[in-house]
Amino acid sequence: MLRFIGKRLVMSLGVLWAASVLVFIMVANSGDPLFDLKMNPLTPKASILYREHLLHLDKSIPERYWIWFTGVLHGDFGKTLHGVPVGPQLFTHMAVTMKMVIPALLLAIVIAISLGVYSATKRGRWQDKGVTFTSFLFLATPVFVVGLFLKFFVAIPIDQHFQKVILSTAGDSSPTATGGFFQRIPDMLSHMTLPTMTLVLAVFSSWVIYQRSTVLDTMDQDYVMLARSKGISKRRVLVRHILRNALIPVTTVIALDFAGLLGGAVITETVYSWNGLGLWFLNGVNALDINVVLAYLMFTATTVIIFNLLADLAYAVLDPRIRYS
Amino acid sequence: MSINFGQAMSDVPMVDIDNSGLSEEIHGQWRMALRRFRRDRLAMFGLITFLTILLIATIYTFVNPAGWSELTTSFNQPPSWNHLFGTTGSGLDLFSACLKGAQQDVIIAFVVASISMVLGTIAGGVAGYYKGSIDAVVMRFVDLLLVIPLLAILIVLSRIFAGSGNSWWMIAILIGLLSWTYIARLVRAEFLSLRERTFVEAATALGAGGRRIIFKHLVPNAIGTIIVNTTLTVSGAMLLESTLSFLGLGIVPPQVSLGMLVQEGQDSATTQPWLFAFPAGMLLVLILCVFFIGDGLQNALDPRKSRSRA
Amino acid sequence: MPEPIIEVNDLRVDFPSEDGTVHAIRGVHFDLFPHEVFGIVGESGSGKSVTSLALIGLLAKSATATGSIKLNGEELLGKSEKELTPYRGKTIAMIFQDPMTSLNPVYTIGWQITEAIQAHQSVSKEDAKKEAVRLLEAAGISQAENRMESYPHEFSGGMRQRAVIAIAMANSPQVILADEPTTALDVTVQAQVLDTLKVALRETQASLVLITHDLGVIAGLADRVAVMYAGRIVETGTVEDLFYRTAMPYTHGLLGSIPSVDDTGQERLRQIPGAPPTMVGDVQGCPFAPRCPLRQATCFEVEPELVKVTNSESSAFHTSACHFANDVTLMPAASMFTDTSSADESEKTI
């Protein structure tokens, strides 16, 4: 098991490295990031040269990559086009994004598993059909549509009705909010509710469908029949025998979807103007700010890899057949 | 609980070595699949709605080819008989624009699905059949897209390759080149198990070459998986394209797509809700229809692997 | 005659399917008496497994069952899952066919036996564990104490089935249902597991409903036998009745399809031509008629009732659903299926 995880880790790092080379070459070849600066007749020549030197734009692409690569190994992600170090920016923006991603992930897991199990136990009845249909509906709805809908047709009407901001639609917190952590909780909730909900609605539906079908498969297993034939309560059969087994495969699915969750965060941040990783990345892409783009991609990829490792470990904890092989 | 009534029993020895009915049997499987699909109300509803929207869009844009770009003199009008979906601030008839956008989205999605189907089947098939180093290369590419959010890569690529004044086919090719891994993964898995089966061994023993085995024996057996997942790729492509267009990195004016219309309509969503509701609603309905079709195909072609049903 | 533990009357089970309603069981009657082994034989799809699932109330939700199943005089059919719980494991226990899949892979063997004990007995965890060790030992697992912490995947097929038998014994039930308990096992292990089953019967004093297609197992273990075909019992009686005074051509066919040790090698393994009917739609006439060497015109028109066989040597239990039951008892088994039209087909088989 540990060897398997180790092998996976090494392979993932290789993939990551190859991706960084590809992205670097593509972004580096795709235009001059200082184009606007140079077009401005007021920019002194010396300042342009200084910027080029600072960003190593005067060197060849392999040299630039090498500088970037050795920098990353030392924890230095280079500087943005404006000459600010990328690393600290990455972490401030990450803190913002995680405020919606982590609650959304936890909520989505809880909702998806309970709805999936509920739907399976009501197999074929209207509750089951309702859950399945709703899941399909959200599966088919783009994240930006969900986000915009909640923003314009839930938050704004509520706020207008009560004549004050109950559900905030811009930013991750009010700049005016003061006080300690506990005093700021209402403000945080006001800002976090809708983005988190958007993200939950964007990811939970496929997990519901998956969880439902796993529970249905598990219900038909011989060991569930044997458990029922023992004369234990229906609830115990469901929780200890069906659910305990049906939770195993869904961990992998959730882990694999984590990348999609981070992708969803890009859209949600755009809709709700959160200055998180997603917006930072989008702006970086638009400005062809190579260090920002790479930092974002490497960071998300690393997070996803770590998350998958955790899922593998969870799998091993949940399934004795894996644990001992 | 499963009961196999049609099957001969294990206790009374009986072997059917007559194979002449094989092609007939495959034919029968397709007939069964068709019958199951036709009985699936959601799938039929999806198919009919999807085709109806597409048909209306095609006829409308054929009869009125400039309708979606022509500016009228009525601005910001709510839906009326003259303008079914209302008009925009610049006087654009939203009904025409939505139909044109829907058509554009579907065309892009079909191009993406075709690219994905061909690349995915070939890459997955070759990886699953030959294994070894080819398999390793394909799987690393698959890994890459599992690790980095697909949307993030697409954002970077469309900024670089599509830039400004991009054409729809560039977007379609980019999405297509990144969407095949899902099909590849499934086809590979299917091939890995199929190649161990006796009929493949028999064909190999009779001297059939790799290409012949792949196309004559393996692809026909994996065709259900390929069809179902190509359909799902259509919906995935529509989601991705509309998202890119929403971010201003996909379809941009003077072309039109539903995602772009939503993006343009969002600022006035509270005052002129139709500008948001119609393109967003149409997008949702189209994608939902494709999901229903895909789900129906799954149930019809491979009921055992079905996700959404009992 | 003692009071029966289980009385099954006119049991019918239907399943919906894509091609229409499947009539899996079409009117089954039998009684199960204390301390007896009642065998049910038949091909796959004859309804024998469905019968056992109906007895313990584990039919699929989509199934509809009508008729009557009485346990100690109390009607079980129509009881809810909750109302059945007190009987399951306590009065009726079940052993499933495939021990590779019938134990929960994520729990230890000890946990699973302890769970069965604690389901019906209010004993402390320690006592339940001690009892579990004792049951495992009784089921023939050596070093049971150490084996308690093993997971099912660490057990062989035979050991798993012993563990399942230990679970069945846990509450000394009155009835044990065993659905093909040895079919999935290696031939060498089968006999050992059957011995374990005998031990379990001795320990618990339970009656056994033994479902199998293996007439050898029946001959070695059963007191009475019912032969099922197309969802009905077509012949029932003591083992001697069925083996020596066979009153149904289908039973003849089943007997003929076991190779015997004293075969000279010259004889062909006799087989029943054709396949059992699909159970969709209504049956007209005797369902075995298309495959029967003795069929007459009436066989295709009237489905025979299960009636007492009046052969003088037959026991009181001997019944048969054949229009010509008494004539069949007089026939030598060997002659019936040898010269049928499918002689060349059977050649392929061997």
Side-chain angles (χ1 to χ4, degrees):
Chain A
M1 183 67 206
L2 278 176
R3 263 187 60 191
F4 169 74
I5 291 182
K7 211 176 135 193
R8 279 265 306 261
L9 194 62
V10 170
M11 269 201 274
S12 306
L13 288 176
V15 165
L16 206 57
W17 172 77
S20 75
V21 174
L22 278 175
V23 173
F24 198 96
I25 294 172
M26 281 190 303
V27 179
N29 279 316
S30 61
D32 186 353
L34 299 180
F35 184 75
D36 289 344
L37 202 67
K38 287 175 185 167
M39 281 296 102
N40 188 342
L42 295 175
T43 321
K45 185 86 180 133
S47 135
I48 291 175
L49 285 176
Y50 174 71
R51 279 284 187 89
E52 278 185 341
H53 175 71
L54 195 73
L55 299 168
H56 310 295
L57 291 176
D58 48 354
K59 297 193 176 70
S60 72
I61 289 177
E63 275 178 292
R64 282 170 63 194
Y65 181 78
W66 183 247
I67 293 169
W68 178 84
F69 184 70
T70 47
V72 168
L73 292 183
H74 293 98
D76 175 14
F77 285 89
K79 293 190 171 66
T80 70
L81 288 181
H82 300 287
V84 186
V86 167
Q89 275 207 356
L90 176 72
F91 286 103
T92 32
H93 288 107
M94 179 196 77
V96 173
T97 298
M98 288 305 147
K99 269 207 246 174
M100 78 165 87
V101 168
I102 289 172
L105 177 70
L106 298 177
L107 259 178
I109 291 175
V110 172
I111 294 175
I113 289 175
S114 12
L115 273 183
V117 173
Y118 177 75
S119 176
T121 55
K122 300 282 176 189
R123 176 191 210 158
R125 308 247 289 271
W126 65 268
Q127 297 97 324
D128 176 29
K129 285 178 182 156
V131 170
T132 309
F133 186 85
T134 315
S135 304
F136 265 96
L137 191 68
F138 281 108
L139 206 57
T141 316
V143 190
F144 63 89
V145 172
V146 179
L148 291 174
F149 181 84
L150 290 179
K151 180 174 165 181
F152 291 119
F153 300 103
V154 175
I156 291 179
I158 288 179
D159 290 351
Q160 278 173 350
H161 182 79
F162 292 99
Q163 297 287 325
K164 66 175 197 188
V165 178
I166 290 173
L167 292 168
S168 172
T169 57
D172 65 305
S173 58
S174 309
T176 51
T178 49
F181 179 78
F182 290 103
Q183 275 112 31
R184 281 187 287 124
I185 283 182
D187 179 63
M188 275 159 64
L189 282 179
S190 153
H191 284 86
M192 283 167 61
T193 307
L194 288 182
T196 307
M197 255 172 85
T198 305
L199 218 44
V200 168
L201 293 176
V203 292
F204 89 109
S205 46
S206 66
W207 300 349
V208 173
I209 294 171
Y210 188 82
Q211 182 65 47
R212 174 183 177 274
S213 84
T214 330
V215 171
L216 286 180
D217 284 350
T218 314
M219 276 178 173
D220 287 341
Q221 295 294 318
D222 285 353
Y223 57 77
V224 173
M225 298 281 261
L226 181 74
R228 288 171 65 197
S229 82
K230 284 178 180 176
I232 53 179
S233 71
K234 215 174 159 180
R235 200 189 152 72
R236 192 178 166 92
V237 173
L238 181 68
V239 176
R240 302 304 279 272
H241 290 274
I242 298 175
L243 193 55
R244 176 66 177 73
N245 278 282
L247 279 181
I248 300 173
V250 83
T251 50
T252 310
V253 171
I254 290 174
L256 284 177
D257 272 2
F258 190 63
L261 195 67
L262 292 175
V266 176
I267 311 299
T268 314
E269 286 175 16
T270 311
V271 171
Y272 289 98
S273 328
W274 278 38
N275 197 11
L277 279 179
L279 265 192
W280 182 64
F281 166 67
L282 272 179
N283 293 332
V285 171
N286 278 324
L288 293 175
D289 197 335
I290 196 163
N291 288 340
V292 170
V293 172
L294 281 171
Y296 173 83
L297 292 180
M298 294 303 112
F299 173 77
T300 46
T302 313
T303 325
V304 172
I305 291 170
I306 292 172
F307 207 78
N308 278 309
L309 275 178
L310 289 178
D312 283 343
L313 290 174
Y315 210 114
V317 169
L318 289 171
D319 193 336
R321 284 165 297 184
I322 306 281
R323 205 183 308 154
Y324 295 110
S325 64
Chain B
M1 254 262 2
S2 82
I3 318 163
N4 278 325
F5 286 99
Q7 226 170 47
M9 48 296 157
S10 52
D11 23 312
V12 178
M14 196 176 307
V15 173
D16 176 25
I17 57 167
D18 174 23
N19 264 340
S20 62
L22 197 67
S23 67
E24 216 167 276
E25 189 184 310
I26 288 172
H27 193 72
Q29 279 171 4
W30 284 103
R31 239 198 343 253
M32 280 277 282
L34 186 67
R35 204 176 62 175
R36 273 197 290 262
F37 188 84
R38 295 243 291 271
R39 268 198 216 153
D40 190 330
R41 272 182 292 170
L42 270 185
M44 284 310 281
F45 167 80
L47 185 67
I48 291 168
T49 315
F50 187 79
L51 289 179
T52 310
I53 294 176
L54 213 58
L55 192 72
I56 294 174
T58 311
I59 294 173
Y60 192 89
T61 45
F62 186 74
V63 173
N64 190 3
W68 60 275
S69 55
E70 246 170 19
L71 298 182
T72 63
T73 47
S74 46
F75 308 105
N76 280 333
Q77 289 303 305
S80 64
W81 279 114
N82 275 335
H83 302 287
L84 280 180
F85 288 2
T87 59
T88 68
S90 49
L92 194 66
D93 175 45
L94 195 59
F95 184 67
S96 323
C98 278
L99 286 181
K100 181 69 183 174
Q103 202 185 21
Q104 181 72 78
D105 288 349
V106 172
I107 292 172
I108 291 177
F110 277 24
V111 172
V112 170
S114 313
I115 296 174
S116 297
M117 183 177 76
V118 173
L119 283 183
T121 307
I122 293 176
V126 167
Y129 184 74
Y130 292 106
K131 303 204 265 193
S133 55
I134 302 177
D135 185 27
V137 172
V138 172
M139 287 319 285
R140 288 304 77 75
F141 199 87
V142 171
D143 283 352
L144 176 65
L145 292 175
L146 286 178
V147 161
I148 301 181
L150 187 54
L151 185 65
I153 305 185
L154 268 174
I155 286 172
V156 175
L157 289 182
S158 47
R159 168 69 177 86
I160 293 169
F161 290 104
S164 48
N166 38 6
S167 51
W168 65 264
W169 52 264
M170 195 58 172
I171 299 296
I173 290 172
L174 285 180
I175 301 178
L177 288 178
L178 291 174
S179 301
W180 56 270
T181 52
Y182 192 66
I183 293 179
R185 223 160 21 131
L186 294 169
V187 170
R188 171 180 176 272
E190 197 111 337
F191 273 33
L192 279 176
S193 77
L194 281 172
R195 76 194 296 277
E196 307 300 331
R197 299 253 291 268
T198 25
F199 68 93
V200 176
E201 273 171 29
T204 318
L206 289 172
R211 197 187 309 171
R212 191 183 156 79
I213 290 176
I214 290 179
F215 287 104
K216 278 269 166 189
H217 297 279
L218 298 180
V219 172
N221 275 288
I223 199 84
T225 309
I226 297 171
I227 292 176
V228 170
N229 291 288
T230 303
T231 317
L232 295 178
T233 308
V234 171
S235 49
M238 293 179 74
L239 283 167
L240 280 171
E241 181 272 319
S242 61
T243 305
L244 280 179
S245 299
F246 170 76
L247 293 173
L249 289 163
I251 301 295
V252 292
Q255 299 171 85
V256 63
S257 85
L258 292 173
M260 185 196 101
L261 290 171
V262 173
Q263 196 258 335
E264 289 185 342
Q266 63 165 323
D267 294 329
S268 40
T270 41
T271 49
Q272 289 126 23
W274 62 89
L275 291 182
F276 167 78
F278 284 113
M282 192 170 239
L283 186 60
L284 201 160
V285 168
L286 281 176
I287 299 174
L288 196 58
C289 287
V290 181
F291 267 126
F292 287 151
I293 298 169
D295 189 54
L297 285 172
Q298 173 102 71
N299 289 315
L301 292 170
D302 200 351
R304 274 170 308 130
K305 278 194 205 148
S306 170
R307 272 290 143 76
S308 68
R309 306 297 159 85
Chain C
M1 216 189 302
E3 282 288 303
I5 309 175
I6 291 182
E7 298 160 87
V8 177
N9 267 304
D10 197 28
L11 179 67
R12 289 166 193 274
V13 178
D14 291 348
F15 291 95
S17 84
E18 261 185 29
D19 307 308
T21 304
V22 175
H23 305 290
I25 303 186
R26 306 180 298 120
V28 159
H29 307 257
F30 68 87
D31 293 335
L32 181 72
F33 296 102
H35 319 304
E36 75 162 338
V37 176
F38 185 67
I40 301 182
V41 256
E43 296 161 313
S44 327
S46 59
K48 56 192 199 304
S49 293
V50 179
T51 306
S52 70
L53 290 174
L55 288 180
I56 196 164
L58 285 177
L59 288 171
K61 263 188 189 160
S62 58
T64 46
T66 57
S68 156
I69 300 172
K70 280 187 178 150
L71 176 68
N72 297 322
E74 196 169 347
E75 181 61 50
L76 290 186
L77 223 57
K79 272 201 191 330
S80 71
E81 184 91 11
K82 204 175 170 181
E83 291 166 324
L84 284 172
T85 313
Y87 300 99
R88 289 191 187 149
K90 175 114 179 87
T91 324
I92 307 182
M94 178 134 186
I95 297 165
F96 290 87
Q97 176 171 356
D98 189 354
M100 304 313 273
T101 56
S102 58
L103 287 166
N104 196 326
V106 302
Y107 294 116
T108 60
I109 301 289
W111 190 96
Q112 300 190 49
I113 302 173
T114 317
E115 182 184 46
I117 296 168
Q118 290 191 311
H120 298 288
Q121 302 169 34
S122 41
V123 290
S124 72
K125 210 164 184 178
E126 285 72 47
D127 289 346
K129 270 190 182 163
K130 268 183 216 146
E131 174 65 7
V133 174
R134 193 190 69 76
L135 288 167
L136 268 182
E137 264 163 8
I141 300 238
S142 53
Q143 294 179 305
E145 190 102 43
N146 301 329
R147 291 302 194 165
M148 288 282 286
E149 297 306 313
S150 300
Y151 285 94
H153 70 270
E154 297 167 293
F155 268 31
S156 69
M159 285 164 78
R160 290 189 208 193
Q161 199 64 310
R162 287 166 193 271
V164 173
I165 293 173
I167 290 174
M169 288 160 70
N171 298 295
S172 302
Q174 280 180 286
V175 182
I176 296 177
L177 308 172
D179 185 1
E180 307 260 9
T182 56
T183 310
L185 299 171
D186 283 349
V187 184
T188 45
V189 184
Q190 286 185 0
Q192 299 167 13
V193 170
L194 284 177
D195 284 340
T196 307
L197 205 54
K198 283 181 196 161
V199 171
L201 292 181
R202 216 180 307 127
E203 277 254 335
T204 58
Q205 293 293 304
S207 304
L208 177 69
V209 177
L210 178 64
I211 289 154
T212 180
H213 64 255
D214 188 339
L215 286 162
V217 172
I218 292 288
L221 220 59
D223 303 311
R224 290 192 304 134
V225 196
V227 177
M228 284 192 76
Y229 187 78
R232 289 184 69 196
I233 292 180
V234 291
E235 181 169 4
T236 162
T238 61
V239 172
E240 289 74 24
D241 287 335
L242 258 81
F243 277 71
Y244 303 118
R245 296 174 286 276
T246 315
M248 167 74 197
Y250 176 64
T251 316
H252 261 306
L254 282 183
L255 291 168
S257 61
I258 352 172
S260 99
V261 196
D262 34 70
D263 266 354
T264 52
Q266 301 294 313
E267 285 173 67
R268 285 190 187 128
L269 191 60
R270 290 179 301 275
Q271 68 161 36
I272 312 173
T278 61
M279 308 291 291
V280 181
D282 291 327
V283 179
Q284 223 219 329
C286 173
F288 186 62
R291 304 168 77 187
C292 182
L294 304 176
R295 58 180 172 249
Q296 303 288 322
T298 47
C299 295
F300 288 98
E301 283 152 20
V302 187
E303 182 162 16
E305 293 288 317
L306 191 63
V307 289
K308 251 183 121 157
V309 177
T310 50
N311 184 299
S312 56
E313 286 165 57
S314 287
S315 73
F317 294 110
H318 198 185
T319 56
S320 158
C322 176
H323 291 303
F324 311 102
N326 289 321
D327 303 335
V328 178
T329 53
L330 304 173
M331 284 185 190
S335 66
M336 194 167 288
F337 284 94
T338 36
D339 295 313
T340 56
S341 54
S342 65
D344 42 351
E345 223 176 285
S346 53
E347 210 155 50
K348 287 180 199 162
T349 313
I350 296 154

